[in-house]
Amino acid sequence: MSAETGVSRRAMLVKLGLLLNSIVGAVLAVPIVRYLFSPVTRESHIGYESWLSLGGLEQFPAGQTRLATYKNPVINAWDGETGDIACWVRNLDDQTFQVFAINCAHLGCPVRWFAQSNLFMCPCHGGAYYQDGSRASGPPERGLFEYHYKVEGGELLIKAGEMPTPGRAANTKGGGTTCA
């Protein structure tokens, strides 16, 4: 024990240890606290609420299914080509469309359209979907995810920020509107 200060070496090391542990605890708590408060402090991304153009109606002939892409509404400068998202557009009769996410409802692998058989097929686990997006066979338990769309000014627009999930599957069918 030091005669001048009255603090033993052991007491000083305990206090130093507590101080360092408190600093480490505070540093580790910052991301946890940010995560817990993120719904309260999150900025509203206007891009998620907007309608995105897939192109002019002439790009999607009646009776055909075509691949289209759109730019993710909320991207970072470094995202590059990963900000481009593909989807399948099915033109039923020049006024009615179906726009499907390219991802299989099973594990998210990209499905391909086979016009010869009128089927969407997933190469990962053999999932198959009919041309209307409903499940044909394989491991997926539901049909393809479908975007809400509208036709406005000769362009096909989708609301990509409302990507349906299995919990919201009941209100995903239809969703098309036509505006002058």
Side-chain angles (χ1 to χ4, degrees):
M1 179 189 263
S2 173
E4 322 172 339
T5 61
V7 177
S8 70
R9 177 187 286 191
R10 172 179 253 177
M12 183 180 75
L13 290 175
V14 166
K15 289 180 182 181
L16 182 64
L18 287 173
L19 175 68
L20 291 176
N21 282 327
S22 299
I23 291 171
V24 169
V27 168
L28 292 176
V30 168
I32 295 170
V33 170
R34 281 188 62 189
Y35 171 77
L36 292 174
F37 286 111
S38 66
V40 175
T41 61
R42 184 177 313 147
E43 293 179 23
S44 174
H45 291 290
I46 296 172
Y48 279 129
E49 301 300 322
S50 62
W51 290 86
L52 304 172
S53 175
L54 292 179
L57 295 180
E58 66 279 356
Q59 294 178 316
F60 310 106
Q64 292 189 19
T65 301
R66 295 273 175 99
L67 184 66
T69 59
Y70 64 91
K71 195 61 113 173
N72 186 344
V74 182
I75 60 171
N76 296 310
W78 56 83
D79 287 339
E81 287 187 32
T82 61
D84 295 335
I85 300 173
C87 60
W88 291 104
V89 178
R90 181 172 174 236
N91 185 342
L92 301 175
D93 60 7
D94 279 332
Q95 292 299 316
T96 308
F97 294 85
Q98 286 184 297
V99 182
F100 302 111
I102 198 168
N103 307 93
C104 177
H106 179 227
L107 292 177
C109 295
V111 297
R112 292 187 56 205
W113 169 248
F114 291 90
Q116 306 86 344
S117 58
N118 285 331
L119 290 173
F120 292 100
M121 301 197 66
C122 177
C124 296
H125 300 106
Y129 303 90
Y130 294 115
Q131 65 183 354
D132 68 352
S134 61
R135 179 188 178 273
S137 68
E141 295 182 6
R142 63 172 309 279
L144 291 173
F145 299 121
E146 195 170 338
Y147 291 103
H148 292 282
Y149 76 90
K150 70 179 177 179
V151 176
E152 188 173 89
E155 287 195 356
L156 181 63
L157 306 169
I158 63 168
K159 195 152 192 177
E162 294 183 348
M163 182 64 193
T165 60
R168 293 177 41 193
N171 57 2
T172 61
K173 285 294 180 188
T177 58
T178 304
C179 302

